[in-house]
């Protein structure tokens, strides 16, 4: 079965709304995860730390340049993900529509190619 990544994208506003009632959001998210486990579709789920604690390694120049976060525009930060093993893109979309999210947040749905789809390098 194909794998799909549900990428959680928040804005400053949606992240603030989520943090305003974090206990309820966490309880709702735990319930959502339990539903995915019972359905046998959840492979992994993780949230990410504050972007201010991260760095970016930029390969635009001759040598990589490391910049402390937060970096770039913070209007759509990647905040975490769910990795699902589902039968189709439509099934992944149906799960994405059920993600507990604050108003203004987005969930990006991306297929993860199988190893048979990645060009193999011969030794």
């Amino acid at each position: 079965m194909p794998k799909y990544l549900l990428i959680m994208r928040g804005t400053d506003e949606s992240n603030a709304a989520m943090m305003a009632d974090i206990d309820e959001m966490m309880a709702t998210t735990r319930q959502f995860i339990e539903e995915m486990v019972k359905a046998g579709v959840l492979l992994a789920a993780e949230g990410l730390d504050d972007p201010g604690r991260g760095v970016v390694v930029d390969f635009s120049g001759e040598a990589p340049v490391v910049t402390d976060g937060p970096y770039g525009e913070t209007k759509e930060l990647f905040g975490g993900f769910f990795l699902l093993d589902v039968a189709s893109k439509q099934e992944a979309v149906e799960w994405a529509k059920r993600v507990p999210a604050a108003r203004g947040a987005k969930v990006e749905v991306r297929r993860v190619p199988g190893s048979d789809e990645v060009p193999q390098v011969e030794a």
Side-chain angles (χ1 to χ4, degrees):
M1 290 211 301
K3 294 178 191 167
Y4 284 87
L5 195 61
L6 308 185
I7 302 168
M8 308 299 299
R9 296 196 179 274
T11 62
D12 290 336
E13 294 79 18
S14 67
N15 290 339
M18 180 183 72
M19 294 307 289
D21 200 356
I22 191 66
D23 292 336
E24 182 179 335
M25 180 61 75
M26 293 302 294
T28 304
T29 301
R30 277 191 293 275
Q31 181 180 0
F32 179 65
I33 289 171
E34 288 173 13
E35 291 171 12
M36 290 188 294
V37 168
K38 286 179 186 173
V41 300
L42 184 66
L43 297 175
E46 296 289 342
L48 297 178
D49 199 358
D50 184 293
R53 296 181 180 178
V55 299
V56 171
V57 180
D58 185 347
F59 292 89
S60 297
E62 279 189 41
V65 175
V66 178
T67 306
D68 289 330
Y71 45 86
E73 296 204 24
T74 59
K75 65 181 181 179
E76 290 189 356
L77 296 172
F78 174 19
F81 68 89
F82 299 101
L83 180 60
L84 307 182
D85 189 7
V86 294
S88 67
K89 178 176 163 182
Q90 186 56 41
E91 185 178 354
V93 168
E94 291 305 315
W95 281 107
K97 288 165 45 176
R98 296 177 56 194
V99 168
R103 180 175 293 282
K106 296 179 181 178
V107 177
E108 180 180 345
V109 179
R110 302 268 304 268
R111 192 172 77 80
V112 179
S115 60
D116 60 332
E117 297 175 274
V118 177
Q120 303 298 313
V121 177
E122 293 188 34

